[in-house]
Amino acid sequence: MRLRFDPLRSSIMPTLVVAGVLAASGFVLASETAKVDPRGQLAAPIYWVNRDFGKEFFNTNDRIWYKGVKERKEVALTFDDGPHDDSCIALLDTLKEKGVHASFFVVGKQVDKYPELVARMIDEGHEVGNHTYDHFRLVSPDMTKAKIREQLDRCDEAIIKACGRTTTLFRPPGMRFNRDVIDVLREKDQLLVYWTIGARDFIGTAPEWELTKDMKKEPVPSPADLVERVKKQLKPGAIILLHDNPITTAALGDMIDAIHAEGYQIRLCREMMQELPQNVRVVSNPLAPHISRESR
Ligand SMILES: [Zn+2]
């Protein structure tokens, strides 16, 4: 079991004591990480109740992470659907240049094409999550629980072959999932990562069959559009959904600069989950048993 829920962090008393002390002193939390002044939130008791139970951030039963906490100016950058050769190389180069770590939800069949890029993600301190083998919708009528399990297992195997590590993070294609998906994740000891800010950067690059009628009418965004959309929606605890494609690649440098200019830090999913009321501690990419880097 890689998840650990600390009962001390989820009991209401310590939070109420801290809330009272902070309210009385007007103290602003300070640490190495930029934070939002919590004094406004202290006035609303419901904030502290929600924070304690933390349901809006993390579903403990089904193990779904929705977003990070409100009092830390942190966001996660997540890239779905790769790796795609040139665009992925450019994404990794920009992240390296900016000194930023990100989370990649990779598609198994792409991992089999470009295993060296997944190895590079791990080597450069990024996180790698499972996004199925074929990018099939997991809730389509012909999807049985066995087929869901196969989609996840095959992606895990591709990741292991590429970098000698497995993953505890998963994001379903199109964010479509049902009880069977949750059950399979439980069997596999993986948790589901949601997103809160979408740049809609898949318009123009996603295959036609994945787009709704309305999406097909949307104009293809420019890199500047993507930067603006993300900047407008920035919030503490946001999980930003991007895709491994050329438009996003062209936007990434400016997007990172804009996020930093607004006073936010960019963190990995596992780092943000540690700050949740449930204190979720995850090893994103544990070493796969019996497989060494040399054998890939
Ligand atoms: Zn996807």
Side-chain angles (χ1 to χ4, degrees), residues 223-245:
D225 291 337
L226 300 186
V227 175
E228 202 49 38
R229 285 176 191 175
V230 168
K231 197 175 147 185
K232 264 195 207 151
Q233 300 178 76
L234 275 177
K235 259 188 196 164
I239 307 169
I240 302 171
L241 170 64
L242 299 166
H243 292 82
D244 180 339
N245 68 40

Short mmCIF file of all heavy atoms in Angstrom, two decimals, residues 223-245:
data_model
loop_
_atom_site.label_atom_id
_atom_site.label_comp_id
_atom_site.label_asym_id
_atom_site.label_seq_id
_atom_site.Cartn_x
_atom_site.Cartn_y
_atom_site.Cartn_z
N PRO A 223 -0.50 29.69 -29.97
CA PRO A 223 0.25 29.53 -28.70
C PRO A 223 -0.10 30.66 -27.71
O PRO A 223 -0.28 30.40 -26.52
CB PRO A 223 1.71 29.60 -29.14
CG PRO A 223 1.70 29.08 -30.55
CD PRO A 223 0.40 29.57 -31.14
N ALA A 224 -0.26 31.90 -28.22
CA ALA A 224 -0.60 33.03 -27.33
C ALA A 224 -1.97 32.83 -26.69
O ALA A 224 -2.19 33.19 -25.53
CB ALA A 224 -0.56 34.35 -28.11
N ASP A 225 -2.92 32.24 -27.46
CA ASP A 225 -4.25 31.94 -26.89
C ASP A 225 -4.11 31.00 -25.70
O ASP A 225 -4.79 31.17 -24.68
CB ASP A 225 -5.15 31.25 -27.94
CG ASP A 225 -5.56 32.17 -29.07
OD1 ASP A 225 -5.54 33.39 -28.88
OD2 ASP A 225 -5.89 31.64 -30.16
N LEU A 226 -3.28 29.99 -25.84
CA LEU A 226 -3.13 28.99 -24.76
C LEU A 226 -2.57 29.65 -23.50
O LEU A 226 -3.04 29.40 -22.39
CB LEU A 226 -2.20 27.85 -25.19
CG LEU A 226 -2.61 27.03 -26.42
CD1 LEU A 226 -1.65 25.86 -26.62
CD2 LEU A 226 -4.04 26.53 -26.30
N VAL A 227 -1.57 30.50 -23.68
CA VAL A 227 -0.97 31.19 -22.53
C VAL A 227 -2.02 32.02 -21.82
O VAL A 227 -2.17 31.98 -20.59
CB VAL A 227 0.22 32.10 -22.97
CG1 VAL A 227 0.76 32.90 -21.80
CG2 VAL A 227 1.33 31.25 -23.60
N GLU A 228 -2.81 32.76 -22.61
CA GLU A 228 -3.84 33.64 -22.06
C GLU A 228 -4.92 32.84 -21.31
O GLU A 228 -5.34 33.21 -20.22
CB GLU A 228 -4.45 34.45 -23.22
CG GLU A 228 -5.13 35.73 -22.81
CD GLU A 228 -4.32 36.62 -21.88
OE1 GLU A 228 -3.08 36.71 -22.05
OE2 GLU A 228 -4.94 37.21 -20.96
N ARG A 229 -5.34 31.73 -21.90
CA ARG A 229 -6.39 30.90 -21.28
C ARG A 229 -5.92 30.37 -19.93
O ARG A 229 -6.67 30.36 -18.96
CB ARG A 229 -6.73 29.72 -22.18
CG ARG A 229 -7.55 30.11 -23.38
CD ARG A 229 -7.77 28.89 -24.27
NE ARG A 229 -8.34 29.29 -25.55
CZ ARG A 229 -8.54 28.46 -26.56
NH1 ARG A 229 -8.21 27.18 -26.45
NH2 ARG A 229 -9.07 28.89 -27.68
N VAL A 230 -4.70 29.89 -19.88
CA VAL A 230 -4.18 29.34 -18.62
C VAL A 230 -4.03 30.46 -17.60
O VAL A 230 -4.44 30.33 -16.44
CB VAL A 230 -2.84 28.60 -18.85
CG1 VAL A 230 -2.14 28.28 -17.54
CG2 VAL A 230 -3.08 27.31 -19.64
N LYS A 231 -3.48 31.58 -18.03
CA LYS A 231 -3.25 32.71 -17.12
C LYS A 231 -4.57 33.18 -16.50
O LYS A 231 -4.65 33.43 -15.29
CB LYS A 231 -2.59 33.83 -17.91
CG LYS A 231 -1.92 34.89 -17.06
CD LYS A 231 -1.20 35.88 -17.97
CE LYS A 231 -1.22 37.25 -17.35
NZ LYS A 231 -0.63 38.26 -18.24
N LYS A 232 -5.61 33.29 -17.32
CA LYS A 232 -6.91 33.77 -16.85
C LYS A 232 -7.52 32.86 -15.79
O LYS A 232 -8.25 33.31 -14.93
CB LYS A 232 -7.89 33.83 -18.04
CG LYS A 232 -8.00 35.19 -18.66
CD LYS A 232 -9.26 35.23 -19.56
CE LYS A 232 -9.07 36.24 -20.66
NZ LYS A 232 -9.81 35.90 -21.87
N GLN A 233 -7.25 31.56 -15.90
CA GLN A 233 -7.91 30.59 -15.02
C GLN A 233 -7.06 30.21 -13.80
O GLN A 233 -7.49 29.39 -12.99
CB GLN A 233 -8.23 29.30 -15.79
CG GLN A 233 -9.14 29.49 -16.97
CD GLN A 233 -9.35 28.17 -17.71
OE1 GLN A 233 -10.09 27.31 -17.28
NE2 GLN A 233 -8.66 27.99 -18.83
N LEU A 234 -5.85 30.79 -13.69
CA LEU A 234 -4.95 30.37 -12.61
C LEU A 234 -5.59 30.52 -11.24
O LEU A 234 -6.23 31.53 -10.94
CB LEU A 234 -3.67 31.22 -12.63
CG LEU A 234 -2.54 30.78 -13.56
CD1 LEU A 234 -1.40 31.79 -13.48
CD2 LEU A 234 -2.05 29.38 -13.23
N LYS A 235 -5.41 29.50 -10.41
CA LYS A 235 -5.94 29.48 -9.05
C LYS A 235 -5.00 28.63 -8.21
O LYS A 235 -4.45 27.65 -8.74
CB LYS A 235 -7.30 28.76 -9.05
CG LYS A 235 -8.49 29.63 -9.02
CD LYS A 235 -9.72 28.78 -8.83
CE LYS A 235 -10.94 29.60 -9.19
NZ LYS A 235 -12.10 28.78 -9.39
N PRO A 236 -4.84 28.94 -6.93
CA PRO A 236 -4.03 28.04 -6.09
C PRO A 236 -4.61 26.62 -6.13
O PRO A 236 -5.82 26.43 -6.06
CB PRO A 236 -4.19 28.64 -4.69
CG PRO A 236 -4.49 30.08 -4.92
CD PRO A 236 -5.32 30.11 -6.17
N GLY A 237 -3.71 25.64 -6.28
CA GLY A 237 -4.14 24.24 -6.28
C GLY A 237 -4.60 23.72 -7.63
O GLY A 237 -5.05 22.58 -7.73
N ALA A 238 -4.47 24.53 -8.68
CA ALA A 238 -4.97 24.10 -9.99
C ALA A 238 -4.12 22.98 -10.58
O ALA A 238 -2.91 22.93 -10.39
CB ALA A 238 -5.00 25.29 -10.95
N ILE A 239 -4.81 22.10 -11.29
CA ILE A 239 -4.13 21.06 -12.07
C ILE A 239 -4.38 21.42 -13.53
O ILE A 239 -5.53 21.39 -14.00
CB ILE A 239 -4.69 19.66 -11.76
CG1 ILE A 239 -4.67 19.39 -10.25
CG2 ILE A 239 -3.88 18.60 -12.50
CD1 ILE A 239 -5.44 18.13 -9.84
N ILE A 240 -3.32 21.81 -14.23
CA ILE A 240 -3.46 22.33 -15.59
C ILE A 240 -3.32 21.19 -16.60
O ILE A 240 -2.33 20.46 -16.58
CB ILE A 240 -2.40 23.42 -15.86
CG1 ILE A 240 -2.54 24.56 -14.84
CG2 ILE A 240 -2.51 23.95 -17.29
CD1 ILE A 240 -1.41 25.57 -14.86
N LEU A 241 -4.34 21.05 -17.44
CA LEU A 241 -4.33 20.00 -18.46
C LEU A 241 -3.81 20.55 -19.78
O LEU A 241 -4.40 21.47 -20.36
CB LEU A 241 -5.75 19.46 -18.66
CG LEU A 241 -5.95 18.52 -19.86
CD1 LEU A 241 -5.13 17.25 -19.70
CD2 LEU A 241 -7.42 18.19 -20.06
N LEU A 242 -2.70 19.98 -20.23
CA LEU A 242 -2.13 20.32 -21.53
C LEU A 242 -1.90 19.03 -22.30
O LEU A 242 -2.05 17.94 -21.75
CB LEU A 242 -0.80 21.07 -21.35
CG LEU A 242 -0.89 22.39 -20.57
CD1 LEU A 242 0.50 22.86 -20.15
CD2 LEU A 242 -1.57 23.47 -21.43
N HIS A 243 -1.53 19.16 -23.56
CA HIS A 243 -1.26 17.97 -24.37
C HIS A 243 0.09 18.09 -25.06
O HIS A 243 0.59 19.19 -25.27
CB HIS A 243 -2.39 17.78 -25.39
CG HIS A 243 -3.69 17.42 -24.75
ND1 HIS A 243 -4.52 18.37 -24.21
CD2 HIS A 243 -4.29 16.21 -24.52
CE1 HIS A 243 -5.58 17.76 -23.68
NE2 HIS A 243 -5.46 16.45 -23.85
N ASP A 244 0.64 16.92 -25.32
CA ASP A 244 1.94 16.84 -25.99
C ASP A 244 1.70 17.06 -27.48
O ASP A 244 1.41 16.11 -28.21
CB ASP A 244 2.53 15.45 -25.68
CG ASP A 244 3.88 15.21 -26.31
OD1 ASP A 244 4.21 15.90 -27.28
OD2 ASP A 244 4.59 14.32 -25.83
N ASN A 245 1.74 18.32 -27.91
CA ASN A 245 1.53 18.62 -29.33
C ASN A 245 2.28 19.91 -29.70
O ASN A 245 2.74 20.64 -28.80
CB ASN A 245 0.02 18.71 -29.66
CG ASN A 245 -0.65 19.90 -29.02
OD1 ASN A 245 -0.10 20.99 -28.97
ND2 ASN A 245 -1.87 19.70 -28.53
#
